[in-house]
Amino acid sequence: MARPRKPLLSRDRIVEAAGALVDTEGLEAVSTRRLAAALGVSGPSLYNHFRTKDEILDAVADAVSARVDLSMFDGGGTDWRGDLHAWAHSYRDALADHPNIVPVLARGPGRRPAGLRLADAVFGAMTAVGWPPAQATRIGALMRYFILGSAVASFARGFVDDRTAYDPADYPHLGQAHLLAERGREVDEGAFETGLTALLDGLALQYEALKETA
């Protein structure tokens, strides 16, 4: 009986294996040796698809960007605030399962196709409803700062589930801080929505002022 053939090595298989390593062990875990072992191939064979580790990490980051829903920008509608709100939640959801890749995404899209499509969609939607190009650029940057920052780490889980860690003599206002860890998702998602609403409220005021002077 013939031996089963090994799956052919491909960019997609390399990106999938690298993404799994990033998710479970962090960026530093990705190496040619680790990836080759995970894929059952020799190290040099990876270089037929990627020249460097950075190229692999870029591809992993772009695979995450590709999961962000951009369909809300397709219709060219006038509800720019609602579109940004929906997009921000989709972007954060995509990052929530892959926080370790955020530092790579934070470098900017570079030449990554999905990242560039994302930037193009936001900029195009903002200029289409009358935001000046310079301000549309700033809006895209502002939203990215906010969303990526929210995905880096959990605020709530930064506190330990131990009442004795927060002695009222030292921290008079942290008497309930030990409860935050068990409510991490609720706190973090609520904080994101609070910040997003405040951000969009501020932009709406600027937009109204812009229209009045147009």
Side-chain angles (χ1 to χ4, degrees), residues 64-74 83-94 114 117-118 121-122:
V64 174
S65 294
R67 299 173 189 174
V68 180
D69 183 16
L70 300 176
S71 63
M72 67 285 296
F73 299 125
D74 290 344
D83 292 345
L84 281 182
H85 186 275
W87 168 72
H89 274 281
S90 177
Y91 199 173
R92 184 174 184 271
D93 288 345
R117 283 193 294 272
L118 189 155
V122 174

Side-chain angles (χ1 to χ4, degrees), residues 14-180:
I14 295 170
V15 170
E16 182 178 0
L21 276 176
V22 172
D23 287 344
T24 57
E25 300 183 43
L27 294 172
E28 295 306 315
V30 178
S31 68
T32 301
R33 180 183 62 80
R34 290 291 302 278
L35 284 175
L39 293 164
V41 298
S42 64
S45 63
L46 299 177
Y47 295 114
N48 293 325
H49 301 276
F50 294 97
R51 293 176 296 176
T52 65
K53 171 183 170 178
D54 283 345
E55 282 192 1
I56 295 173
L57 292 176
D58 268 347
V60 172
D62 214 38
V64 174
S65 294
R67 299 173 189 174
V68 180
D69 183 16
L70 300 176
S71 63
M72 67 285 296
F73 299 125
D74 290 344
T78 58
D79 185 16
W80 63 268
R81 176 179 172 147
D83 292 345
L84 281 182
H85 186 275
W87 168 72
H89 274 281
S90 177
Y91 199 173
R92 184 174 184 271
D93 288 345
L95 298 179
D97 294 329
H98 309 283
N100 290 339
I101 199 64
V102 170
V104 179
L105 287 164
R107 300 172 191 163
R111 299 175 182 271
R112 298 193 297 266
L116 289 170
R117 283 193 294 272
L118 189 155
D120 181 73
V122 174
F123 180 82
M126 295 304 99
T127 54
V129 297
W131 285 103
Q135 186 66 355
T137 299
R138 296 185 192 108
I139 290 171
L142 171 63
M143 295 296 291
R144 192 166 68 88
Y145 298 155
F146 176 68
I147 297 164
L148 293 179
S150 75
V152 170
S154 165
F155 172 81
R157 293 187 179 92
F159 296 87
V160 298
D161 184 13
D162 179 0
R163 183 189 295 269
T164 65
Y166 309 107
D167 188 331
D170 297 320
Y171 315 107
H173 306 296
L174 295 181
Q176 301 297 308
H178 65 286
L179 301 175
L180 290 173

